[in-house]
Each structure stands twice: as structure tokens, then as C-alpha cells.
Amino acid sequence: MPRLFTGLEIPAEIGQTLSGLRGGLPGARWVDPENYHVTLRFIGDIDGISANEIASMLFRVNRKPFDVTLQGLSSFGGRKPRAVVASIVPSRPLIELQAELERMMQRIGLDPEGRKFTPHVTLARLHDASSQDVADYLSVRGYFPSKVFTAERFVLFSSRASTGGGPYVVEDSYSLSA
């Protein structure tokens, strides 16, 4: 049973920049740069028939390429931080693409995504990291010059159920070229 999600790939040169921010945070499990991505819609564990239906349905998305801007680092989890992420500026084309994918997934019977869409790239998953350590890390490494890339496609990723995420496999890609 595959575990699927849709997302945007991060170009290698931006991945290299982000990977330079690794280290110096106790309790961090760093994501490998080749697994950096922006999740658009987590789909979950589904059977092969549903996976094929989703893969073919995604070809109906008809949108133009758009710029994606990474800007600074933050953390998720508040007082009990669980991840360090590179923030993505929420642009209109990105929000609209994510909303369209959300509607498609609900149309085929998946439950609505429970969390508000907050575009980001997960750099590290945290286990027993103190909020003070995370704050210290972000004060030293949290700023980096904005990085921009053009999203010319989105992809359907699969992953194995594992701790730490990845490795992720591109099952199919969908051009943004309306």
C-alpha cells in the first residue's frame, strides 16, 4: 500500500544552500537534501487502484508556472518544537494550486486536510529538542537571503512509512504550463 503526497521539488542549488544550515541543534534529525520538498497535499496510505485514480486525475490540473520564494527559518510545535523548517512565502498561485489539489482529493472521498496549509520545507525533525535550543539555533541560522525558483511542475511522491521521512520517490510529474 503506497503512502502518497503531492509536492514541489526543491532545485539542487537551493537544496545545497539549505543543507549548509544543518548541524548545531541537539535532538535534530536532519532531512537529507535530496528529500527536501514542499508538501502540497498529504494523501496517505492508499490501495493501488486509488493510487492510479489519483495519478491520472492530477493530469487535469491546468495552471501556469509560478515563482516560489524561500525566506528564513522557523520551527513548528511552539513550546514543544517538532521541526525546523525553511519558510515559503505563500503566493496566490501556490495557495490556489494547493486548494485545487485539496478539492480533488475530497472529491474522491479523502477526508479534508486537518491543518491549515503553511508552505515550508522541513529541514529537521526534532526529538526532545528544548525550545531554548531551537530559539538559539534560529537566532544564529534563521536568516538567509531569500531564494527564489520557478515551479514548472508538481509531483506525486511516494514514501515508505518510516521515522524521519524519506526516501521519497517521484511516482509521476505534472507540468504547470497552462
Side-chain angles (χ1 to χ4, degrees):
M1 194 179 285
R3 173 171 287 184
L4 299 177
F5 62 97
T6 58
L8 300 175
E9 299 160 296
I10 301 301
E13 63 276 6
I14 292 177
Q16 278 303 112
T17 299
L18 294 175
S19 72
L21 301 170
R22 295 161 56 117
L25 179 57
R29 214 172 40 244
W30 297 97
V31 174
D32 291 332
E34 60 270 14
N35 289 317
Y36 291 158
H37 65 276
V38 179
T39 299
L40 295 171
R41 176 53 156 93
F42 180 74
I43 298 166
D45 297 318
I46 57 169
D47 62 69
I49 292 169
S50 296
N52 289 336
E53 181 182 351
I54 289 168
S56 61
M57 181 175 62
L58 291 172
F59 281 107
R60 295 186 205 144
V61 172
N62 187 17
R63 298 200 170 263
K64 293 181 176 150
F66 58 90
D67 285 345
V68 177
T69 304
L70 288 89
Q71 190 169 29
L73 301 182
S74 62
S75 65
F76 286 166
R79 292 176 194 249
K80 202 167 174 182
R82 63 183 190 281
V84 170
V85 302
S87 301
I88 303 282
V89 176
S91 66
R92 181 182 201 122
L94 175 60
I95 300 299
E96 288 175 352
L97 173 61
Q98 189 280 330
E100 181 176 357
L101 296 174
E102 176 65 35
R103 286 189 301 275
M104 288 178 137
M105 296 306 116
Q106 288 183 39
R107 250 183 256 131
I108 63 162
L110 295 179
D111 289 335
E113 180 63 53
R115 296 174 287 202
K116 179 182 181 290
F117 178 58
T118 305
H120 66 278
V121 178
T122 301
L123 303 181
R125 289 178 175 74
L126 305 176
H127 182 70
D128 291 334
S130 77
S131 54
Q132 185 62 54
D133 285 344
V134 173
D136 291 346
Y137 170 84
L138 292 174
S139 71
V140 171
R141 304 249 176 113
Y143 174 79
F144 61 89
S146 293
K147 298 289 181 192
V148 179
F149 69 94
T150 301
E152 295 180 353
R153 71 182 199 166
F154 70 96
V155 300
L156 180 63
F157 286 107
S158 67
S159 68
R160 289 191 306 261
S162 65
T163 44
Y168 303 122
V169 175
V170 174
E171 296 294 338
D172 221 330
S173 64
Y174 307 88
S175 291
L176 298 171
S177 60

mmCIF file of all heavy atoms in Angstrom, residues 136-156:
data_model
loop_
_atom_site.group_PDB
_atom_site.id
_atom_site.type_symbol
_atom_site.label_atom_id
_atom_site.label_comp_id
_atom_site.label_asym_id
_atom_site.label_seq_id
_atom_site.Cartn_x
_atom_site.Cartn_y
_atom_site.Cartn_z
ATOM 1 N N ASP A 136 17.868 29.386 20.116
ATOM 2 C CA ASP A 136 19.280 29.730 19.924
ATOM 3 C C ASP A 136 19.720 29.403 18.494
ATOM 4 O O ASP A 136 20.403 30.196 17.840
ATOM 5 C CB ASP A 136 20.173 28.985 20.927
ATOM 6 C CG ASP A 136 19.980 29.456 22.360
ATOM 7 O OD1 ASP A 136 19.372 30.533 22.572
ATOM 8 O OD2 ASP A 136 20.420 28.727 23.275
ATOM 9 N N TYR A 137 19.336 28.226 18.011
ATOM 10 C CA TYR A 137 19.684 27.827 16.640
ATOM 11 C C TYR A 137 19.118 28.830 15.640
ATOM 12 O O TYR A 137 19.825 29.292 14.736
ATOM 13 C CB TYR A 137 19.150 26.413 16.345
ATOM 14 C CG TYR A 137 19.266 26.042 14.894
ATOM 15 C CD1 TYR A 137 20.455 25.518 14.387
ATOM 16 C CD2 TYR A 137 18.221 26.244 14.011
ATOM 17 C CE1 TYR A 137 20.591 25.196 13.043
ATOM 18 C CE2 TYR A 137 18.335 25.925 12.668
ATOM 19 C CZ TYR A 137 19.519 25.409 12.201
ATOM 20 O OH TYR A 137 19.649 25.114 10.872
ATOM 21 N N LEU A 138 17.834 29.174 15.791
ATOM 22 C CA LEU A 138 17.192 30.098 14.845
ATOM 23 C C LEU A 138 17.805 31.493 14.918
ATOM 24 O O LEU A 138 17.899 32.181 13.897
ATOM 25 C CB LEU A 138 15.686 30.164 15.095
ATOM 26 C CG LEU A 138 14.907 28.885 14.767
ATOM 27 C CD1 LEU A 138 13.449 29.025 15.191
ATOM 28 C CD2 LEU A 138 15.024 28.531 13.294
ATOM 29 N N SER A 139 18.262 31.909 16.098
ATOM 30 C CA SER A 139 18.867 33.245 16.200
ATOM 31 C C SER A 139 20.197 33.299 15.454
ATOM 32 O O SER A 139 20.575 34.340 14.925
ATOM 33 C CB SER A 139 19.042 33.663 17.662
ATOM 34 O OG SER A 139 20.065 32.917 18.268
ATOM 35 N N VAL A 140 20.888 32.157 15.369
ATOM 36 C CA VAL A 140 22.175 32.110 14.669
ATOM 37 C C VAL A 140 21.977 31.823 13.179
ATOM 38 O O VAL A 140 22.607 32.449 12.325
ATOM 39 C CB VAL A 140 23.089 31.026 15.306
ATOM 40 C CG1 VAL A 140 24.343 30.809 14.475
ATOM 41 C CG2 VAL A 140 23.438 31.408 16.731
ATOM 42 N N ARG A 141 21.111 30.871 12.840
ATOM 43 C CA ARG A 141 20.993 30.401 11.465
ATOM 44 C C ARG A 141 19.696 30.811 10.773
ATOM 45 O O ARG A 141 19.509 30.507 9.599
ATOM 46 C CB ARG A 141 21.064 28.865 11.437
ATOM 47 C CG ARG A 141 22.300 28.296 12.063
ATOM 48 C CD ARG A 141 23.179 27.693 11.010
ATOM 49 N NE ARG A 141 24.420 27.221 11.554
ATOM 50 C CZ ARG A 141 24.777 25.956 11.625
ATOM 51 N NH1 ARG A 141 23.981 25.021 11.189
ATOM 52 N NH2 ARG A 141 25.939 25.632 12.124
ATOM 53 N N GLY A 142 18.787 31.419 11.496
ATOM 54 C CA GLY A 142 17.434 31.639 10.990
ATOM 55 C C GLY A 142 17.304 32.575 9.808
ATOM 56 O O GLY A 142 16.337 32.519 9.072
ATOM 57 N N TYR A 143 18.287 33.436 9.619
ATOM 58 C CA TYR A 143 18.206 34.351 8.485
ATOM 59 C C TYR A 143 19.107 33.848 7.369
ATOM 60 O O TYR A 143 20.246 33.466 7.598
ATOM 61 C CB TYR A 143 18.634 35.772 8.859
ATOM 62 C CG TYR A 143 18.675 36.650 7.640
ATOM 63 C CD1 TYR A 143 17.513 37.182 7.119
ATOM 64 C CD2 TYR A 143 19.864 36.876 6.957
ATOM 65 C CE1 TYR A 143 17.529 37.928 5.959
ATOM 66 C CE2 TYR A 143 19.898 37.620 5.798
ATOM 67 C CZ TYR A 143 18.720 38.150 5.301
ATOM 68 O OH TYR A 143 18.734 38.877 4.146
ATOM 69 N N PHE A 144 18.597 33.848 6.170
ATOM 70 C CA PHE A 144 19.435 33.657 4.985
ATOM 71 C C PHE A 144 18.782 34.449 3.869
ATOM 72 O O PHE A 144 17.566 34.677 3.892
ATOM 73 C CB PHE A 144 19.617 32.170 4.626
ATOM 74 C CG PHE A 144 18.353 31.438 4.312
ATOM 75 C CD1 PHE A 144 17.835 31.392 3.027
ATOM 76 C CD2 PHE A 144 17.665 30.759 5.301
ATOM 77 C CE1 PHE A 144 16.669 30.717 2.733
ATOM 78 C CE2 PHE A 144 16.501 30.078 5.026
ATOM 79 C CZ PHE A 144 16.005 30.054 3.736
ATOM 80 N N PRO A 145 19.552 34.923 2.894
ATOM 81 C CA PRO A 145 18.953 35.696 1.806
ATOM 82 C C PRO A 145 17.864 34.876 1.112
ATOM 83 O O PRO A 145 18.005 33.667 0.939
ATOM 84 C CB PRO A 145 20.122 35.960 0.859
ATOM 85 C CG PRO A 145 21.356 35.768 1.685
ATOM 86 C CD PRO A 145 20.995 34.757 2.738
ATOM 87 N N SER A 146 16.783 35.538 0.752
ATOM 88 C CA SER A 146 15.675 34.852 0.073
ATOM 89 C C SER A 146 16.187 34.112 -1.156
ATOM 90 O O SER A 146 17.074 34.598 -1.857
ATOM 91 C CB SER A 146 14.606 35.851 -0.374
ATOM 92 O OG SER A 146 13.993 36.417 0.752
ATOM 93 N N LYS A 147 15.628 32.956 -1.384
ATOM 94 C CA LYS A 147 15.935 32.142 -2.562
ATOM 95 C C LYS A 147 14.643 31.968 -3.336
ATOM 96 O O LYS A 147 13.599 31.673 -2.753
ATOM 97 C CB LYS A 147 16.473 30.756 -2.160
ATOM 98 C CG LYS A 147 17.764 30.809 -1.374
ATOM 99 C CD LYS A 147 18.908 31.217 -2.261
ATOM 100 C CE LYS A 147 20.212 31.241 -1.501
ATOM 101 N NZ LYS A 147 21.255 31.888 -2.264
ATOM 102 N N VAL A 148 14.712 32.138 -4.652
ATOM 103 C CA VAL A 148 13.521 32.044 -5.495
ATOM 104 C C VAL A 148 13.774 31.016 -6.592
ATOM 105 O O VAL A 148 14.862 30.973 -7.168
ATOM 106 C CB VAL A 148 13.180 33.414 -6.139
ATOM 107 C CG1 VAL A 148 11.952 33.313 -7.034
ATOM 108 C CG2 VAL A 148 12.977 34.478 -5.063
ATOM 109 N N PHE A 149 12.767 30.193 -6.854
ATOM 110 C CA PHE A 149 12.820 29.298 -8.003
ATOM 111 C C PHE A 149 11.453 29.278 -8.661
ATOM 112 O O PHE A 149 10.454 29.673 -8.054
ATOM 113 C CB PHE A 149 13.289 27.882 -7.616
ATOM 114 C CG PHE A 149 12.318 27.092 -6.790
ATOM 115 C CD1 PHE A 149 11.413 26.215 -7.395
ATOM 116 C CD2 PHE A 149 12.315 27.187 -5.410
ATOM 117 C CE1 PHE A 149 10.530 25.470 -6.640
ATOM 118 C CE2 PHE A 149 11.441 26.439 -4.642
ATOM 119 C CZ PHE A 149 10.541 25.579 -5.255
ATOM 120 N N THR A 150 11.429 28.864 -9.908
ATOM 121 C CA THR A 150 10.167 28.770 -10.632
ATOM 122 C C THR A 150 9.678 27.330 -10.591
ATOM 123 O O THR A 150 10.394 26.415 -11.002
ATOM 124 C CB THR A 150 10.334 29.230 -12.094
ATOM 125 O OG1 THR A 150 10.795 30.591 -12.082
ATOM 126 C CG2 THR A 150 9.019 29.149 -12.853
ATOM 127 N N ALA A 151 8.463 27.146 -10.073
ATOM 128 C CA ALA A 151 7.838 25.821 -10.065
ATOM 129 C C ALA A 151 7.237 25.602 -11.451
ATOM 130 O O ALA A 151 6.306 26.304 -11.844
ATOM 131 C CB ALA A 151 6.768 25.747 -8.994
ATOM 132 N N GLU A 152 7.809 24.675 -12.193
ATOM 133 C CA GLU A 152 7.312 24.372 -13.530
ATOM 134 C C GLU A 152 6.539 23.067 -13.568
ATOM 135 O O GLU A 152 5.990 22.691 -14.595
ATOM 136 C CB GLU A 152 8.485 24.333 -14.516
ATOM 137 C CG GLU A 152 9.128 25.701 -14.635
ATOM 138 C CD GLU A 152 10.290 25.737 -15.599
ATOM 139 O OE1 GLU A 152 10.709 24.681 -16.102
ATOM 140 O OE2 GLU A 152 10.773 26.855 -15.846
ATOM 141 N N ARG A 153 6.520 22.370 -12.421
ATOM 142 C CA ARG A 153 5.745 21.138 -12.299
ATOM 143 C C ARG A 153 5.521 20.849 -10.822
ATOM 144 O O ARG A 153 6.207 21.398 -9.954
ATOM 145 C CB ARG A 153 6.459 19.972 -12.961
ATOM 146 C CG ARG A 153 7.701 19.491 -12.232
ATOM 147 C CD ARG A 153 8.385 18.365 -12.974
ATOM 148 N NE ARG A 153 9.287 17.612 -12.106
ATOM 149 C CZ ARG A 153 9.798 16.446 -12.418
ATOM 150 N NH1 ARG A 153 9.507 15.873 -13.573
ATOM 151 N NH2 ARG A 153 10.602 15.810 -11.589
ATOM 152 N N PHE A 154 4.536 20.014 -10.556
ATOM 153 C CA PHE A 154 4.401 19.428 -9.231
ATOM 154 C C PHE A 154 4.457 17.923 -9.429
ATOM 155 O O PHE A 154 4.355 17.435 -10.559
ATOM 156 C CB PHE A 154 3.127 19.901 -8.516
ATOM 157 C CG PHE A 154 1.836 19.386 -9.090
ATOM 158 C CD1 PHE A 154 1.212 18.264 -8.552
ATOM 159 C CD2 PHE A 154 1.224 20.024 -10.161
ATOM 160 C CE1 PHE A 154 0.020 17.786 -9.077
ATOM 161 C CE2 PHE A 154 0.031 19.559 -10.685
ATOM 162 C CZ PHE A 154 -0.565 18.434 -10.146
ATOM 163 N N VAL A 155 4.680 17.196 -8.345
ATOM 164 C CA VAL A 155 4.873 15.757 -8.480
ATOM 165 C C VAL A 155 4.023 14.994 -7.471
ATOM 166 O O VAL A 155 3.575 15.542 -6.454
ATOM 167 C CB VAL A 155 6.362 15.360 -8.321
ATOM 168 C CG1 VAL A 155 7.228 16.039 -9.376
ATOM 169 C CG2 VAL A 155 6.878 15.673 -6.944
ATOM 170 N N LEU A 156 3.824 13.722 -7.801
ATOM 171 C CA LEU A 156 3.212 12.773 -6.882
ATOM 172 C C LEU A 156 4.360 11.950 -6.303
ATOM 173 O O LEU A 156 5.059 11.264 -7.042
ATOM 174 C CB LEU A 156 2.211 11.882 -7.618
ATOM 175 C CG LEU A 156 1.491 10.830 -6.772
ATOM 176 C CD1 LEU A 156 0.629 11.498 -5.688
ATOM 177 C CD2 LEU A 156 0.627 9.946 -7.671
#
